Amino acid sequence: MDRKELFEKKPKIKINDKISFCPTSAAMELIGGKWKSVILTHLIGDKKRYSELRKEIPGITERTLSLQLKQLEADGMVSRKVFTKKPPLKVEYTLTTFGQTLTPILNLITEWGLHAAETKGEFIFDE
């Protein structure tokens, strides 16, 4: 079924046992919230350890980062690889192939955020 036909028929969309009534709602089920898109943006193009993500996203709590990474992994957006050959335990997170499909959108959101800061706000630099 092509996109035009899908929009004409207006089907409900079921993701993670939740029913959405439009594609935007379905997308937000996967990437919505304050931190998911931020985490995904930091994973573009490179794998990261948990501690690296914590340093790069200073406003997020450890608990929230852990919960959001688990949800992103469960949704197939992020892959978690554990290296257990020798202590200390090393865990790396990367975008899955499905998660990588968001890269152009996340880059546009980043650019729009810069535009919004320039237009509606300001940049504050630590001295």
Side-chain angles (χ1 to χ4, degrees):
M1 184 176 306
D2 67 12
R3 302 270 191 235
K4 184 179 177 190
E5 191 176 355
L6 271 173
F7 277 100
E8 288 171 357
K9 292 189 177 207
K10 298 181 182 181
K12 295 176 193 158
I13 301 167
K14 183 177 178 182
I15 297 177
N16 296 337
D17 292 324
K18 184 172 181 181
I19 302 294
S20 299
F21 295 93
C22 74
T24 303
S25 295
M28 296 312 289
E29 175 64 26
L30 295 174
I31 63 166
K34 182 174 180 179
W35 296 109
K36 286 183 181 178
S37 60
V38 175
I39 294 166
L40 293 167
T41 299
H42 282 273
L43 291 173
I44 291 173
D46 201 10
K47 58 188 173 219
K48 299 275 172 78
R49 294 180 69 173
Y50 179 87
S51 60
E52 292 175 298
L53 289 168
R54 277 283 291 138
K55 286 177 188 171
E56 290 181 14
I57 312 170
I60 194 169
T61 66
E62 288 188 37
R63 181 177 187 276
T64 299
L65 178 58
S66 179
L67 290 172
Q68 295 297 291
L69 284 167
K70 285 178 185 174
Q71 185 63 55
L72 288 166
E73 183 183 13
D75 290 341
M77 308 294 285
V78 168
S79 174
R80 179 178 185 264
K81 186 173 182 182
V82 180
F83 300 89
T84 58
K85 293 183 180 176
K86 59 180 182 176
L89 186 67
K90 180 180 174 184
V91 179
E92 289 180 342
Y93 296 92
T94 57
L95 292 179
T96 62
T97 302
F98 181 59
Q100 289 172 10
T101 63
L102 273 171
T103 298
I105 296 162
L106 293 168
N107 287 334
L108 285 171
I109 291 170
T110 299
E111 284 301 314
W112 189 83
L114 291 170
H115 170 72
E118 292 167 342
T119 306
K120 296 283 189 180
E122 63 182 305
F123 294 100
I124 301 169
F125 298 97
D126 292 333
E127 294 183 29

